[in-house]
Amino acid sequence: MISKKFLVSIGLLTLALALTGCAVGPRAESAPGLSTDGESVYLANRTFVYKVNQSGTEIWHYPEKSSPAVMFYAAPFSENGTVVFGDLANKFHALSSDTGVIKWQYLDAKGWFMASADADAGLIIAPSLDRSVYALDEAGKLLWKYDGKFGFLAQPVITEDHVIIASQEHEVFALNKQTGELVWNAQTSGSMNASPLFDPTSGLLFAGGMGHEVVALDEVTGELKWKFDHSGQMSAIWSTPILVDGNLIVTDDKGTIYAINPDNGNLNWTIATNEVMMAGPVAIENGFVVVSIAGNVRAYGMNQTPKWTLSLVDAQVYTTPVLAAGNIIIANKTTKNENLMFAVDQNGVQKWAFTPPTN
Amino acid sequence: MWNTIIVQPLTNLLVLITMLVKNFGIAIILFTIIIKLVTHPLTAAQLKSTQAMQKLQGDPRYKKLAEKYKDDKQMLAQEQMKLQKELGVSPFGSCLPTLIQLPIIFGLYQAIMKAMASTPFELKILKDILYPFINPANVLPINNRFLWMDLGQPERLNLFGIPIPVLAIVVVITQYLLSKVMEAPSAGQDDQAAAMTKSMSMMMPLMMGWMAFQFSAGLALYFVVTNIVTTVQYSIQGRTDWSKILPFLKKSDRSTPSIVDVKSTQVVNKPGSTQYIEVPEDDDEEEATPTPAKVSKPSARSASKQLRPKRKK
């Protein structure tokens, strides 16, 4: 007969396992990471990274078998046949973008990778939540490392001479691309969780954050060119602004769309959608699209007129959409393994929804 | 509803403390101590009730009932309930304070989880539940660094290239100590119950250690502080049996046969109910006629002794 002692022990062990994770793995919740190489789409969602073609069919997924200890939320970055991304098991991966076969891994980080990487001419910049920015070469060898005071959430921007980082430490800073030394830093009013936008024509960086303002900085010196907060009425900004037809388009989390003159920071116009937004705008032909957390997609022309609206059923959207092969790709935050992405054409017609084949 | 009443206030309190002390680790420690102090009356009531139950289980009449009705569970339950009623012991006396505390414990856990937001999604959730008088721009993100730890991630201390889960080990140790000092006295319990208690004392620390190993360091820190504060709470109430972990504290010193002053020895009794006095373990029932002498305070020390009714004249 089984003793009570044995049963109690088994019961406690089961409870521990159940509480910890059904539970073996990182205890973090996030929205999917989404990116494109212009044609195909990459999606990092929970235990897999997917590459999907323009008709919504999976090309490959990585890893072959999922593990609850390894989660992916950082949007993959694809360049020159290699796609790079980090995970929440402190590993940074480089795969062949054609086959999804692993090329190398960087294993010396001490924290999760939530931010998307950036790469340019063989230099890969990978910011981590361990408060370090890692610069790797094409073979995954560490070139330099920059240590900050907070973990990094925003994708870096590589310019001609600098690596630009928007930081949770209430600042934007520039590192020397070759050495990783700090070149300049510019204080902001709040934490910066989204990547800045770099306009090579004007040489300005545009960034918004939890300080309820948008700043324009000189990329070379970090000098503040202008600041816009709509007289204190702006709310927090969680996404990267876009430039469309001479307007800097910014959305805040109260669902207000601002069109700002990028030269001087003057307000051109606003649209109040009155919907909560975390995802940023995406440019389309003659206008732009915004998506609310509730999954309502709205397209506007540059004369502020609504072009069309579409409600995605059972969708929660926290990730900025991308434009791939002419379609607007929208990632869905869902715990179900279905409808992870929707493709909508530029007339507001849903083309496909991506449900991975059984993994 | 749950979030508004429990999680949101606790999260805001934790964030406020963090703003004041400017260190999230210290904030978690203070926050846990404050909540434990606030819920101390409930803990104390629970401890009293638990001890009363333990003493009851040591009562010879209770054992006799078990023996007498070993083949009739229903009758046994009825008789045990009668005895409990007579002695003024409620079997649910320790449940109610625990039940009231449970939402606070779960809320505390969730508040710490929410405050450790480390993704944009979690930061947005945290920002949205902060009260208007807290400016998220000033306080977020919370700096998770404490000593060598990043409180938002599972803790490992690299010693000679080997990642050691120091906090998880401390959780196991403090939980083990807590289990030992809280362990119910075995006297009066049958062998199986004693074995189960021992098993729990071993398994609980391992379970908590496993959780601390998996969870963020902030939660492991919370486990450690909770264990220490609870041990202190037990000590303050005289409920700890240190001899279980410090053998040089001789148990015999504390198990001196007792000696009772009925007026002050009202451990488990309700006013007006039968009064019970403490007698030496090996005394026979007939020899139990009380001999008033010194005051015997109810404590864990006396928990191992048996209780018998004072015979009213």
Side-chain angles (χ1 to χ4, degrees), chain A residues 4-5 8-9 12 16 19-20 24-25 28-29 111-112 131 153 168 170 191 210 236 238 253 318 333, chain B residues 118-124 127 137 140-141 143-145 150 152-153 196 199-200 203 207 210-211 214-215:
Chain A
K4 276 189 185 173
K5 188 177 168 181
V8 167
S9 305
L12 283 173
L19 285 174
T20 52
V24 185
E29 192 176 0
W112 301 342
R131 296 149 203 256
L153 293 173
Q168 290 198 92
H170 297 205
S191 171
M210 288 183 72
W238 299 87
D253 66 3
Y318 293 86
K333 183 184 181 305
Chain B
S118 56
T119 72
F121 175 81
E122 291 172 342
L123 282 166
K124 167 85 174 118
K127 174 191 172 274
L140 300 182
N143 190 346
N144 283 338
R145 185 71 86 191
D150 186 334
Q153 308 212 347
M196 273 177 65
S199 170
M200 287 281 281
M203 294 307 296
M207 178 180 113
W210 173 251
M211 282 163 52
Q214 290 288 330
F215 286 160

Side-chain angles (χ1 to χ4, degrees), chain B:
Chain B
M1 179 81 168
W2 163 256
N3 278 334
T4 311
I5 294 173
I6 305 282
V7 181
Q8 193 172 7
L10 288 175
T11 308
N12 277 274
L13 175 64
L14 177 56
V15 171
L16 266 177
I17 297 171
T18 308
M19 284 172 75
L20 289 174
V21 300
K22 301 195 186 311
N23 183 307
F24 191 48
I26 293 171
I28 289 178
I29 293 168
L30 289 176
F31 177 64
T32 311
I33 292 171
I34 289 169
I35 300 297
K36 292 292 282 182
L37 285 178
V38 170
T39 56
H40 181 72
L42 294 169
T43 312
Q46 179 197 347
L47 293 180
K48 266 187 183 170
S49 197
T50 307
Q51 197 199 27
M53 273 305 288
Q54 285 168 359
K55 288 194 172 186
L56 173 71
Q57 283 162 2
D59 191 299
R61 290 191 302 169
Y62 202 82
K63 288 183 192 170
K64 275 183 185 169
L65 286 176
E67 182 64 30
K68 189 174 175 183
Y69 298 110
K70 63 182 177 191
D71 297 326
D72 187 349
K73 298 281 180 198
Q74 198 177 352
M75 197 62 190
L76 174 65
Q78 278 177 10
E79 290 300 315
Q80 281 180 338
M81 275 179 68
K82 264 188 203 169
L83 186 61
Q84 285 164 359
K85 205 171 176 183
E86 194 182 325
L87 302 182
V89 177
S90 165
F92 306 110
S94 61
C95 295
L96 188 63
T98 310
L99 282 177
I100 298 171
Q101 283 183 81
L102 270 180
I104 300 169
I105 293 167
F106 289 141
L108 194 81
Y109 172 86
Q110 288 192 8
I112 293 172
M113 289 291 282
K114 283 199 188 300
M116 288 190 305
S118 56
T119 72
F121 175 81
E122 291 172 342
L123 282 166
K124 167 85 174 118
I125 302 286
L126 177 58
K127 174 191 172 274
D128 289 348
I129 62 168
L130 290 181
Y131 291 144
F133 57 84
I134 299 176
N135 183 355
N138 291 342
V139 68
L140 300 182
I142 289 171
N143 190 346
N144 283 338
R145 185 71 86 191
F146 179 58
L147 302 175
W148 69 92
M149 296 170 262
D150 186 334
L151 296 172
Q153 308 212 347
E155 176 269 349
R156 306 286 184 267
L157 179 64
N158 266 300
L159 287 177
F160 310 109
I162 304 165
I164 312 282
V166 176
L167 216 46
I169 292 168
V170 176
V171 167
V172 172
I173 294 168
T174 54
Q175 183 67 47
Y176 178 74
L177 294 181
L178 179 62
S179 301
K180 290 306 279 186
V181 297
M182 283 172 60
E183 205 171 83
S186 56
Q189 291 185 19
D190 57 47
D191 287 347
Q192 201 171 34
M196 273 177 65
T197 308
K198 276 205 180 326
S199 170
M200 287 281 281
S201 300
M202 289 306 294
M203 294 307 296
M204 272 298 283
L206 293 177
M207 178 180 113
M208 297 301 289
W210 173 251
M211 282 163 52
F213 181 78
Q214 290 288 330
F215 286 160
S216 307
L219 277 173
L221 181 64
Y222 157 68
F223 291 158
V224 171
V225 178
T226 299
N227 289 345
I228 293 170
V229 174
T230 310
T231 308
V232 171
Q233 280 180 316
Y234 270 63
S235 298
I236 288 170
Q237 293 213 308
R239 299 292 198 271
T240 47
D241 186 354
W242 292 102
S243 68
K244 289 194 170 138
I245 46 172
L246 303 170
F248 54 86
L249 294 175
K250 286 183 184 172
K251 198 163 184 172
S252 58
D253 292 343
R254 319 189 295 77
S255 55
T256 312
S258 54
I259 332 174
V260 226
D261 176 335
V262 173
K263 282 177 190 166
S264 48
T265 313
Q266 39 83 45
V267 183
V268 294
N269 302 345
K270 278 184 179 170
S273 70
T274 313
Q275 300 241 312
Y276 287 81
I277 55 173
E278 301 178 0
V279 296
E281 282 176 37
D282 49 358
D283 273 0
D284 151 337
E285 202 167 349
E286 292 312 308
E287 297 164 356
T289 312
T291 312
K294 294 176 187 172
V295 172
S296 165
K297 286 186 182 173
S299 71
R301 295 172 180 186
S302 55
S304 60
K305 301 167 197 164
Q306 298 173 354
L307 297 176
R308 293 186 192 166
K310 178 197 173 192
R311 287 171 188 156
K312 288 182 179 172
K313 291 179 180 172

